[in-house]
Amino acid sequence: MTKTKLYIILFFLVLGLQKSYSQNYKFKTSGFSVLEKNEKGKWGKWSDLDLVNILVSLDTNKDRIVIYSQIIQLFEIIDYQATEENDTDIVYSFTCKDNNGEDCTVSIITRKKQGNRKQLYVNYENRIIVYNIFNM
């Protein structure tokens, strides 16, 4: 009987410790740009950078990313992809579904050779939105 109690206590301790690693990250944007595919399926050119001041939240407790633009963009995180790192970038990517049910990949990229500048990419099949972001 005591072994069973010990296992139950250990089980709940392990569950509690895993929850404690979840975090909420907040960013602000300074600008965004959009790239779209044309009717022939080829990528066009990036739009001019629009200056914006928008809050972005990455909440690992709720498995979601929220961009608080004029129309709130909510991304449910389906999968946390492995971190990629090379000489120039550190990339954290998430497989997501947006509030319209559309599949996309959201990536936070740190540009190492650009003073650790951060960018948030929202990649859809036919368009990419990039936000320049900084930690709050």
Side-chain angles (χ1 to χ4, degrees):
M1 183 91 170
T2 44
K3 276 190 176 182
T4 306
K5 287 182 181 178
L6 180 63
Y7 287 129
I8 291 172
I9 291 170
L10 286 173
F11 175 75
F12 285 109
L13 279 174
V14 168
L15 280 180
L17 288 174
Q18 286 180 339
K19 282 278 190 195
S20 67
Y21 291 115
S22 298
Q23 292 188 343
N24 192 5
Y25 301 92
K26 295 201 181 289
F27 305 95
K28 280 278 196 172
T29 65
S30 60
F32 82 99
S33 183
V34 178
L35 177 66
E36 293 181 297
K37 283 187 178 178
N38 63 24
E39 56 280 342
K40 294 181 181 179
K42 303 228 183 226
W43 290 105
K45 294 182 179 181
W46 285 101
S47 67
D48 291 336
L49 185 71
D50 284 332
L51 301 179
V52 291
N53 186 7
I54 298 172
L55 177 66
V56 176
S57 173
L58 164 59
D59 189 340
T60 60
N61 290 317
K62 296 179 181 177
D63 294 322
R64 69 182 189 182
I65 299 166
V66 183
I67 301 173
Y68 293 95
S69 55
Q70 190 171 8
I71 298 173
I72 294 177
Q73 301 168 63
L74 174 65
F75 302 93
E76 177 188 357
I77 299 172
I78 305 301
D79 185 36
Y80 292 79
Q81 298 178 15
T83 302
E84 298 175 27
E85 185 169 358
N86 57 39
D87 292 340
T88 59
D89 299 322
I90 303 170
V91 181
Y92 302 94
S93 292
F94 312 90
T95 304
C96 298
K97 274 205 182 295
D98 70 10
N99 34 343
N100 295 321
E102 226 179 318
D103 293 329
C104 61
T105 301
V106 177
S107 301
I108 297 173
I109 302 175
T110 301
R111 307 288 183 188
K112 291 194 230 175
K113 293 187 175 179
Q114 297 178 18
N116 289 326
R117 179 171 71 101
K118 289 182 175 31
Q119 293 183 303
L120 176 78
Y121 282 81
V122 182
N123 293 287
Y124 290 96
E125 187 176 321
N126 61 348
R127 69 191 178 284
I128 301 171
I129 305 165
V130 62
Y131 293 92
N132 291 326
I133 60 174
F134 56 92
N135 293 339
M136 287 184 57

